[in-house]
Amino acid sequence: MRTVKPKKALGQHFLRDMDIARAIAATVDARPDLPILEIGPGTGVLTQFLKERDRQLKVIEIDRESVMYLHENMPDVNVIEGDFLKLDLNGLFDGGQFVLTGNYPYNISSQIFFRMLENRELIPCCTGMLQREVAQRICSGPGNRNYGILSVLLQAWYDTEYLFTVHENVFDPPPKVKSAVLRLTRNSRTQLGCNEALFRKVVKCTFGMRRKMLRNSLRQVYEKDVPLPADSPYLDRRPEQLSVSDFISLTNMMEQAAG
Ligand code: SAH
């Protein structure tokens, strides 16, 4: 039988523990009404449990060898050969919503979540496994040392749940880091309530200098001679002390101050 040699450049770490694979597959049942897109099926460890569900399923895999393996061993699975980051998500299920899942390629996990954000109306639920450190960042709130850019940008649109931790020795080859499974569920926010481009800029700039008070880091978003909002309570704080709604208020104050 054909096997697939793990390729480091593609972030390939194949899961070997069937109980964990079954548990990850079960996370998509939060939305049993929707079809599923799995990123990076590899040799189909997760796919075999996803396809037991009576739901439409598509998988996208960039590695030719894995695609051949799936064609041979799971001929009934709808495999798209290609790069998830370039996939047209609108055309996928006739423009309909779907659940995104996978044991993600860790080297592009942040990019996967940014792409999900751009397509948030199509993806009301996203689950899956990634490196624990990134999962912790995504799921942390204000005051936590892991709270950062990904937390704020994602939590603006999604409720985040850290589901469970996975040890490195259940993979072949074992990754250098621990893993975790999470679930993101689209919240009820329909509009951000501020200029979204400026919001992103403010979040990225202030966390880029996370030990500085906002007054100092924000001078860089605003060119030196544009005034910062005069009486904002936020300027004497550090970014990790601000909630998502604080960042939204601050963005509005900055727009007003700019005139
Ligand atoms: N789901 C499998 C494999 C996980 S490893 C398991 O649990 O065992 C991550 C998988 O993502 C690999 O198969 C890798 O080839 C694939 N992959 C990496 N980059 C990708 C991309 N940009 N688009 C789609 N798949 C990708």
Side-chain angles (χ1 to χ4, degrees), residues 243-256:
S243 66
V244 171
S245 15
D246 292 339
F247 273 108
I248 293 171
S249 311
L250 173 64
T251 305
N252 281 325
M253 288 174 195
M254 290 181 63
E255 274 223 307
Q256 276 162 17

Side-chain angles (χ1 to χ4, degrees), residues 6-259:
K7 298 164 200 73
K8 208 174 166 190
L10 294 177
Q12 289 183 338
H13 298 276
F14 297 118
L15 182 61
R16 292 292 177 224
D17 186 312
M18 294 308 125
D19 290 334
I20 294 174
R22 207 177 276 113
I24 298 173
T27 61
V28 303
D29 294 340
R31 288 300 302 264
D33 52 321
L34 295 180
I36 303 166
L37 175 66
E38 184 195 356
I39 299 179
T43 55
V45 177
L46 201 57
T47 320
Q48 64 185 317
F49 297 112
L50 292 172
K51 81 190 187 74
E52 281 176 356
R53 291 162 163 75
D54 192 18
R55 299 161 67 169
Q56 203 185 345
L57 169 69
K58 290 187 179 179
V59 304
I60 175 148
E61 173 57 65
I62 203 168
D63 175 35
R64 176 113 264 254
E65 214 186 337
S66 297
V67 171
M68 302 299 288
Y69 181 96
L70 291 168
H71 281 323
E72 230 173 81
N73 294 281
M74 294 185 189
D76 54 331
V77 171
N78 187 331
V79 184
I80 304 166
E81 180 174 353
D83 180 351
F84 167 74
L85 298 175
K86 297 191 183 134
L87 183 65
D88 170 24
L89 299 180
N90 259 304
L92 206 55
F93 296 102
D94 293 328
Q97 295 185 325
F98 57 91
V99 177
L100 186 65
T101 195
N103 170 9
Y104 296 119
Y106 294 179
N107 50 342
I108 58 163
S109 55
S110 300
Q111 290 172 70
I112 290 174
F113 291 113
F114 284 126
R115 189 131 169 86
M116 175 197 72
L117 266 184
E118 289 166 14
N119 292 279
R120 57 188 174 244
E121 300 317 333
L122 277 177
I123 309 175
C125 178
C126 167
T127 74
M129 178 150 63
L130 65 164
Q131 59 271 56
R132 180 174 65 170
E133 185 204 323
V134 179
Q136 284 169 332
R137 275 197 257 147
I138 289 174
C139 299
S140 291
N144 188 296
R145 70 188 167 88
N146 295 314
Y147 182 62
I149 297 171
L150 264 184
S151 337
V152 177
L153 298 185
L154 284 172
Q155 289 170 25
W157 302 102
Y158 286 85
D159 294 334
T160 62
E161 291 169 87
Y162 185 102
L163 298 177
F164 54 91
T165 304
V166 179
H167 196 273
E168 49 272 38
N169 66 10
V170 299
F171 296 91
D172 174 30
K176 289 208 176 68
V177 293
K178 292 219 183 320
S179 301
V181 176
L182 52 62
R183 178 164 44 222
L184 310 177
T185 310
R186 187 71 176 80
N187 63 24
S188 56
R189 189 171 265 130
T190 53
Q191 284 187 330
L192 196 54
C194 70
N195 175 330
E196 193 166 348
L198 182 61
F199 172 79
R200 276 199 299 267
K201 207 165 157 185
V202 167
V203 171
K204 285 183 181 165
C205 158
T206 56
F207 278 109
M209 290 172 268
R210 66 183 293 144
R211 269 190 267 278
K212 286 204 173 135
M213 281 197 274
L214 266 59
R215 182 181 306 288
N216 298 320
S217 48
L218 285 176
R219 291 227 166 90
Q220 309 220 347
V221 174
Y222 270 150
E223 312 306 353
K224 274 191 199 61
D225 37 18
V226 179
L228 286 173
D231 51 1
S232 166
Y234 304 122
L235 293 180
D236 299 321
R237 300 191 199 159
R238 296 192 172 81
E240 65 190 51
Q241 296 171 288
L242 270 63
S243 66
V244 171
S245 15
D246 292 339
F247 273 108
I248 293 171
S249 311
L250 173 64
T251 305
N252 281 325
M253 288 174 195
M254 290 181 63
E255 274 223 307
Q256 276 162 17

